[in-house]
Amino acid sequence: MAKNTQDLYYLPLQETIGHNNKTARAIELVNLSLLVSVLVYRVVYFKAQEQYLPWLLAFLCESWFTFNWTVAVCTKWNQCTTKTYPDRLLKRVSESKFPAVDIFVTTADSILEPSIITMNTVLSLLAVDYPADKLALYLSDDGCSPLTLYSLVETTKFAKLWVPFCKKYNVQVRAPFRYFNTKATPLKNDSLEFQQEWKKIKKEYGDLYKKIDHAAQRPFPCDHDSDFTVFCGVHRSDHPTIIKVVSENKEGSPTDLPPVIYISREKSPKHQHHYKAGAMNVLARVSGVITNAPLMLNVDCDMYANNPQVFLHAMCMVFGFKDEDNCAFFQFPQAFYDGLKDDPFGNQLADFYYLINGISSIQGTLYAGSNCFHRRKVIYGSSPNDSTKSDSISNEDLRKIFGKSTELRESAAQILSETNSKIENRSCPSNFIESATHVASCSYEYDTSWGTQIGWIYGSATEDVLTGLNIHGRGWRSAITSPDPLAFLGCSATTYPSSLTQQKRWFTGLFEILFTDKNPLLLTIKGNLWFRQALTYFYCCLWAVRSVPELCYASLPAYCIIKDSHFLPKVNERAILIFMGIFVIYNLYAFWECKRLGLSLRMWWNLQRMGRVNTLTARLFSFVSVMLKLIGLSNTVFEVTQKEHMSNDDDNDNVSVGRFTYDNSPMIMPGVVILLINVMALVNGMLRLYKVGYSENWMGVSKLGLGEMFCSVWVLLCFWEYLKGLFRNGKYGIPSSTIWKSGALALLFMQICRDNLNGFRLFYM
């Protein structure tokens, strides 16, 4: 027994497991060599072309594809995952040594993000397996909705029943809307006591659901003698700070509910609010004044804790890494409970698995905006092995960095010095309301380092990636782990328009990063960002730029067919084998990766076709919007994605689920234009092929652009849903106004192609 105990002591709490990646490397290098061969072919045969324009455009696009593939290979070259062992943790580290954690839940719109979804996330986090006296939950309501506060108050009352029930019976799924559903009933062999409590708790949850639902159906009354008086006459974009302590753990009991605090930061049209990044910085400051936990967990309102031991998995990394540089933040992957079968819109991130594992083997995973534990000292600007302690930082420097609040400066000094000293009355948040209100004001950040050097960084709609880049740029590393069951589950976009909106926001924010002072190249030269990690960030930030070469490459086949020219080798030329090899190897390789993940053939195809569709729609608009912002013609806007409440009994096999619906968004117009010009080009090519007749020999047929026609067919297959949308009505059909506008642009393209132009020729002797 003593030997076993000793062995257990030396077993790791977490370990990084490398994976054999030789086969994937070989395939990637073969494909890379073929891409380079294409570029050589373009250069060698450039002067032999009758029309230089398609050849030159093809060369530029293929150069970009080669660069993109090279960076992807570099990122995915090594593969590793991190595994954690919470059972070992509980035997080696006492709960009294666990660090405190402040939990941040963010919501911005009680309509687009229904309150019942947010409240289930809150309930799942209050019920995790972790001492309650070491937790505090902060709910940020950027919509300033009395409905959200009302829902939180009622949810906290229900939590006093729900949390003990979960811990008493070791319930594994602690979000009630997932635990209680029409198909779930107690088993007959369960104890009578459990069955009775189960029915009681289910009834109480049903009552909670009805209260929130009824409150959402009508204007919320803001009586002048109630807790909701502060909401009288306010507007979501113009109101004072509202902070309400909904629950306090005054006794500091590890079995009671953690403190629950509602925050709606001050807003004014005169001040910039920086969207989610601004809300996160307010949460960091308010929590710093009230509880000041050394760890912070931020969770989106729709991402409930699916694994009750998620905090223990995080503690495995806190106590498991010998070198603290390896763990600035711990990311848990985003996964979805309502993901549509076979991912018809390509937005569930399944094909990012090997990319994430590759990034993990360099300097660490990217910060994904939710499901992430941060060290507060890192958010406060600390660097690895930082020898600067708070006692050597003058009070004036602290003021310049953290602001005028004495309480915040003192708590920041405590965190940076790692003294772990206790602050009096920390278990009574209501004692700090005045100080918390001060640091949540609109003007507090002026003349401070918030948003530039500390906290969540401003300048991008994807504040998460930018903040993670800032952390990596200081030399920190990060880690990601995916326990079983998954740590968090959330809502995915379940309609095509919401998917487009979400992806446009992602790609816009990523592209914006390149035009900030946190550009990966600058952080590599001036900071401590690893070169390969910088390439990874570049690869992600340039996703929007990829839309330009893909748009050109998708148009080239139609252009060449109509102009009776070529940008691909003829079928009787040996060089055609290079292009065929790239096409076959790439698609088989992508399919092989999907099969290793257990994905279906249909899902592979959906990921492939939506990769093309989303690039020519959402990514293209992201690129254009950032370009317009840079020249001062527009500003990017943070758009909240519509969240839909779905339960286990929702029928994902319903014929309407997963079908493409369309609205008047201009984002789909480029896709419709590309579809129409390729359809018209195919008709043109088929007519020309028909004229060849059966009497012509193979050499006559080979002169036709069969390679270009195949490419147009491939584009047509990728945009097949758009083709069906042209002939459907209602929400399943593309709006007629979009069709007419796209048709006009397609005809204009056809006219340009038919003009008797010599094309673009280089002048040379």
Side-chain angles (χ1 to χ4, degrees), residues 591-654:
F591 177 68
W592 176 63
E593 282 196 324
C594 287
K595 290 302 292 182
R596 285 199 290 168
L597 295 176
L599 306 181
S600 66
L601 175 63
R602 181 177 292 275
M603 190 165 185
W604 163 79
W605 170 240
N606 286 340
L607 291 172
Q608 294 306 302
R609 68 184 176 91
M610 291 309 298
R612 310 285 71 74
V613 172
N614 290 332
T615 298
L616 297 180
T617 52
R619 294 192 192 189
L620 180 61
F621 265 72
S622 299
F623 175 79
V624 172
S625 65
V626 174
M627 290 294 100
L628 291 176
K629 176 185 176 182
L630 291 176
I631 61 178
L633 293 181
S634 71
N635 290 316
T636 54
V637 178
F638 189 94
E639 299 173 273
V640 179
T641 306
Q642 172 76 54
K643 308 293 192 304
E644 296 185 16
H645 180 50
M646 297 180 69
S647 58
N648 281 353
D649 53 303
D650 288 324
D651 187 9
N652 274 5
D653 296 324
N654 188 288

Side-chain angles (χ1 to χ4, degrees), residues 93-288:
V93 182
S94 65
E95 289 188 349
S96 61
K97 295 182 180 179
F98 288 173
V101 182
D102 286 337
I103 306 170
F104 302 156
V105 180
T106 53
T107 182
D109 193 308
S110 59
I111 297 176
L112 295 177
E113 299 171 333
S115 293
I116 191 63
I117 294 180
T118 305
M119 295 308 120
N120 271 277
T121 297
V122 168
L123 287 167
S124 69
L125 291 167
L126 293 176
V128 293
D129 291 335
Y130 205 74
D133 60 330
K134 293 182 178 291
L135 296 177
L137 188 143
Y138 297 82
L139 175 64
S140 171
D141 175 22
D142 243 19
C144 191
S145 170
L147 172 62
T148 303
L149 176 57
Y150 169 79
S151 301
L152 185 61
V153 171
E154 295 299 322
T155 297
T156 304
K157 295 176 184 177
F158 172 71
K160 294 178 180 179
L161 299 174
W162 172 248
V163 173
F165 171 78
C166 290
K167 295 186 175 182
K168 179 179 180 180
Y169 295 105
N170 194 27
V171 172
Q172 292 303 299
V173 180
R174 298 186 181 179
F177 84 114
R178 297 288 289 169
Y179 182 70
F180 297 118
N181 57 75
T182 57
K183 298 176 182 178
T185 56
L187 299 176
K188 292 182 179 179
N189 57 353
D190 287 329
S191 68
L192 180 61
E193 180 187 16
F194 171 76
Q195 294 184 41
Q196 291 175 341
E197 286 198 46
W198 188 93
K199 293 177 181 178
K200 175 186 175 183
I201 299 296
K202 183 177 182 180
K203 179 182 179 301
E204 292 290 340
Y205 176 68
D207 293 340
L208 173 67
Y209 186 100
K210 290 176 182 177
K211 288 179 182 178
I212 295 175
D213 187 51
H214 290 163
Q217 299 301 320
R218 60 184 188 274
F220 200 91
C222 297
D223 300 328
H224 288 281
D225 57 348
S226 71
D227 291 336
F228 305 100
T229 303
V230 290
F231 293 98
C232 292
V234 303
H235 188 273
R236 59 176 297 163
S237 61
D238 188 6
H239 62 84
T241 298
I242 301 173
I243 299 179
K244 295 287 185 179
V245 177
V246 179
S247 174
E248 291 183 282
N249 186 355
K250 293 184 178 181
E251 302 299 326
S253 170
T255 59
D256 202 353
L257 283 185
V260 177
I261 299 105
Y262 169 92
I263 302 171
S264 184
R265 59 181 172 138
E266 181 187 10
K267 283 190 176 182
S268 170
K270 299 179 181 179
H271 299 275
Q272 173 61 263
H273 303 116
H274 303 290
Y275 309 111
K276 184 180 175 181
M280 293 300 300
N281 282 336
V282 168
L283 284 170
R285 295 196 295 271
V286 170
S287 65

Side-chain angles (χ1 to χ4, degrees), residues 408-457:
L408 181 60
R409 294 202 303 269
E410 290 177 353
S411 66
Q414 173 194 332
I415 288 295
L416 293 174
S417 64
E418 300 182 86
T419 58
N420 295 321
S421 60
K422 296 291 183 180
I423 295 182
E424 294 181 3
N425 300 322
R426 193 44 57 95
S427 61
C428 299
S430 56
N431 295 337
F432 297 87
I433 295 297
E434 184 178 350
S435 301
T437 302
H438 177 210
V439 299
S441 64
C442 289
S443 59
Y444 183 82
E445 293 181 348
Y446 292 161
D447 299 325
T448 71
S449 296
W450 287 101
T452 56
Q453 299 300 323
I454 65 172
W456 276 256
I457 306 302

Side-chain angles (χ1 to χ4, degrees), residues 17 20 34 36 79 178 202 223 230 263 286 295 318 329 367 396 406 456 610 613 718 740:
I17 303 171
N20 188 329
L34 291 175
V36 174
Q79 294 279 311
R178 297 288 289 169
K202 183 177 182 180
D223 300 328
V230 290
I263 302 171
V286 170
L295 291 179
V318 170
F329 60 85
Y367 169 35
E396 180 61 22
T406 303
W456 276 256
M610 291 309 298
V613 172
C718 290
W740 286 114

Side-chain angles (χ1 to χ4, degrees), residues 664 669 672-673 676 735-747:
N664 291 311
M669 190 178 296
V672 179
V673 174
L676 291 177
S736 57
S737 59
T738 301
I739 296 176
W740 286 114
K741 294 174 185 176
S742 302
L745 291 174
L747 289 173

